[in-house]
Amino acid sequence: MSTPNRRPPPSLTPWLFLAPAILFFSVYVIYPVIQSVMISFLDWDGLGEKTWVGFENYRDLLDDPSFYTSLKNNVIWLLLYLAAVPAGLAVALFLNQSVFGIRLYKSLFFFPFVISNVVVGLIFSWFYAPNLGLLPNILDWLFGTPIAVLAEEDLVTYGIIAAGLWPQIAYCMILYLTGLNSINSELIEAGRLDNAKGFSMLWYVVLPQLRPATFIAVVVTVIGALRSFDLIAIMTSGGPYGSSRVLSYFMFEQSLSEYGTAMGYGAAIAVVLFAIMLVFISLFIVRMLAQERNA
Amino acid sequence: MRKHLSLTGLTVAASLLSTPVFAEELIINLPRSTEQSIEATENLIAAFKEAHPGIEVTWNNFDDETYKASFRNFLAANPPDVVAWFAGNRMRPFVEAGLFEPIDDLWAKAGFNEQFSAAESSMTIDGNIYGVPYQQAPWAVFFNRDVYERAGASEPANFDEFVENCEKFAAIEVDCLTTGTVDLWPGAGIFDLINLRTHGFDFHMQLAAGEIEWTDPRVRETFENWGRIAPYITADNAAIDWDGAAALLAQGKAANYVIGAFAVKTLLNGGMTEDSLGMMSFPTINADVPRAEEAPMDSYHIPVGAPNPDNARLFLEFVGTPDQQTAYNATTIRMPVNNQATPVDDKYLNIGFEMLSTAEGLSQFFDRDADADMAKAAMEGFQEFMARPERMDDILERLEATRQRIYK
């Protein structure tokens, strides 16, 4: 005797499996995105009355020099942060050998990724600190002109990016090290037979096999660059006079910080940042889908 | 944290005795980070419990910056009975959002209108009173006498002499004036005092309230006076915090420091003595302008929706009394606000008391007198001006655009 068939129809099964993810994704991602877009059309201090102002927040944004500073800095972050990918590859190739104590070296190189970004920011602020920092003292000794990087509007963003690259290179390195482990040694052999060595070996044999690692490294670095916030908050609070802010910090300043009460304005910045990120994320997703189809 | 544990201990002890000792509650959120302010607050709460034995007091302590950042959240979502905040426009958004309880009746009943006569206007918004101040700290020029001696400079009688001194300090490679503006606000203290000395109290308050254009020639005049000393201000001040600037003064790398009197303790800990650390009112710029001073006040408030509003009122009345104002500020070495309280006998408090009691008017601080958005933009402008005085016109035009956007 068989038990009555209580199973849901087959067409429903995938949806049941997806339901928890869909639920949480809607509540914690989709709904806040919609809400941010709604708030960006309001004049609201976060506490009092909300007034519908249409596109005024966006118009104000276009007239705001701080917006362009942030946008420019975001572009600089994006371009320079990508240096972490080749740098991580270089370190990974260097460490991918078996000599005594290599595990120790690997862990030392990986160390900056393990510590919190707040600590990285603090270490670098002390490194740059006027009077007592290492860098100004070295510069003073070499050239007689100490430079306090974090007080110079033209240097401050590069100073913070340098701090950000330290853990980011370690991250890319780890991605590449895992990739290098799974390289097909037969292909290397075949390459050798065909007289490939040095750069041509790297370019034509090793790198194509590392393509998945490169893809992840680029994705993670691009998104990391766009959401850079913690280092700026720790090292400069966006200063001097706002010259190191990026969109995410600008948004925080406008709507959530000590002096910021412009919720609508902050939401408008968030929407712009979201739109920029969407471009990159869509590109990545399209690529990923294409690869999956080919595989 | 320690406080919280000991209170938990008390509750446990009370429940063991199985008699409901505490029928009433009072929840206070205050940021206290220095040893003295923690001790003074503990004493204050102990005294309050002695006076009102039926009330159990819970104090949630915060670090200052966390407190300011989370203030809006807990005020709206989970209000305690008593909060600490700042006077003037700094409390306006909360008053306008209906989050602070008006306490005019409490003031009338306790006689605070007379005892806090100088502070009443700073606690008033649109005709109602919203808090009880408990301490104030005047802003002044703190200077290193040893450096003055080394440079052969004497205490300046006016701003011209101050500028002349700056050249003497430059000759021995010492910064004439130091500040640390990584958190922006210390720069506003310099602006406020120069503006008060150039155009007086009323003009300064009108400018802060957004009633005067930033491109007005009088504002330019203030910035031109500031420009005279700008080249002598610590060059990298945008990367230094206020403690860092205090260290420069204490180490003799700077001669003067415009800061609130709360810095005295830090400066003395940094190796200065009462002999080497001098304090003076900011020098006169225009002799025809009556002297006004900057003396920001800190205050207690009752949030709307406080679970125990009656106890909160008892607490505010208690902290306003001359005895408690005297006791609290004797521990923290600050100046009480109640005019019947006695400030503790301290060299710098006495100088400060003299400065404030003879002043024509008392401003709060730029970020308390002005709207928050305006204050933020202006303080960035002040920081930029000190680094690049040649951009004065750009900065003023940008501030004027901000003013028009905010006060439209």
Side-chain angles (χ1 to χ4, degrees), chain B residues 74-142:
Chain B
F74 69 67
L75 203 61
N78 185 17
D81 296 312
V82 174
V83 294
W85 198 241
F86 313 107
N89 256 339
R90 206 57 201 282
M91 66 174 181
R92 180 178 286 277
F94 305 107
V95 169
E96 284 178 350
L99 293 172
F100 276 180
E101 194 77 53
I103 50 167
D104 304 67
D105 50 335
L106 189 151
W107 272 56
K109 186 179 128 223
F112 284 173
N113 303 67
E114 293 76 43
Q115 294 173 23
F116 291 102
S117 52
E120 186 174 336
S121 66
S122 306
M123 300 310 308
T124 306
I125 285 185
D126 300 334
N128 288 316
I129 300 172
Y130 288 94
V132 175
Y134 61 95
Q135 68 176 9
Q136 57 186 346
W139 276 61
V141 180
F142 290 89

Side-chain angles (χ1 to χ4, degrees), chain B residues 176-334:
Chain B
C176 177
L177 178 64
T178 192
T179 184
T181 56
V182 80
D183 294 314
L184 292 177
W185 53 264
I190 304 178
F191 169 79
D192 288 352
L193 286 168
I194 294 180
N195 198 34
L196 285 170
R197 292 291 177 276
T198 310
H199 297 295
F201 183 72
D202 292 336
F203 177 83
H204 180 68
M205 294 312 276
Q206 284 166 1
L207 179 67
E211 290 160 17
I212 290 172
E213 290 179 12
W214 283 85
T215 44
D216 188 293
R218 288 170 295 175
V219 181
R220 256 167 229 275
E221 204 185 319
T222 299
F223 275 82
E224 274 156 15
N225 284 329
W226 196 354
R228 293 175 66 194
I229 54 169
Y232 305 108
I233 299 176
T234 303
D236 300 321
N237 67 68
I240 306 176
D241 57 13
W242 76 265
D243 308 60
L248 292 180
L249 184 72
Q251 292 161 7
K253 291 178 183 162
N256 300 290
Y257 185 16
V258 171
I259 191 74
F262 57 82
V264 167
K265 183 86 190 165
T266 309
L267 290 165
L268 293 178
N269 284 344
M272 299 190 82
T273 61
E274 291 205 354
D275 291 328
S276 64
L277 176 63
M279 171 182 178
M280 61 181 165
S281 168
F282 196 90
T284 310
I285 294 179
N286 181 348
D288 301 332
V289 168
R291 187 173 52 82
E293 296 291 352
E294 179 129 286
M297 246 183 282
D298 299 334
S299 44
Y300 293 117
H301 308 266
I302 305 177
V304 166
N308 311 290
D310 296 334
N311 296 343
R313 281 166 177 269
L314 287 177
F315 186 77
L316 257 61
E317 200 178 327
F318 188 75
V319 297
T321 55
D323 285 351
Q324 290 310 319
Q325 296 250 321
T326 304
Y328 186 90
N329 289 287
T331 315
T332 53
I333 325 275
R334 299 277 186 100

Side-chain angles (χ1 to χ4, degrees), chain A residues 241 245 253 258-260, chain B residues 72 90 367 376 380 383:
Chain A
Y241 34 92
R245 31 165 104 91
E253 255 184 343
E258 191 182 338
Y259 299 107
Chain B
R72 253 188 298 170
R90 206 57 201 282
D367 71 353
K376 167 88 179 166
E380 270 177 13
Q383 193 189 39

Side-chain angles (χ1 to χ4, degrees), chain A residues 89 176 183 201-212 214:
Chain A
L89 174 66
Y176 278 121
I183 271 192
M201 172 72 96
L202 174 69
W203 191 254
Y204 293 107
V205 183
V206 178
L207 268 188
Q209 296 191 63
L210 287 176
R211 198 169 276 155
T214 309

Side-chain angles (χ1 to χ4, degrees), chain A residues 155-209:
Chain A
L155 298 176
V156 61
T157 297
Y158 302 100
I160 303 173
I161 295 175
L165 280 176
W166 192 41
Q168 192 64 27
I169 288 174
Y171 191 20
C172 293
M173 176 202 82
I174 274 292
L175 291 173
Y176 278 121
L177 273 179
T178 358
L180 285 170
N181 270 339
S182 57
I183 271 192
N184 189 338
S185 53
E186 281 171 23
L187 284 178
I188 306 271
E189 286 298 312
R192 279 223 182 97
L193 289 180
D194 286 340
N195 208 15
K197 53 177 115 124
F199 183 76
S200 55
M201 172 72 96
L202 174 69
W203 191 254
Y204 293 107
V205 183
V206 178
L207 268 188
Q209 296 191 63

Side-chain angles (χ1 to χ4, degrees), chain A residues 117-122 125 229-237 249:
Chain A
N117 258 5
V118 174
V119 179
V120 173
L122 277 178
S125 345
F229 173 89
D230 34 15
L231 287 173
I232 295 163
I234 288 292
M235 295 174 73
T236 62
S237 311
Y249 193 79

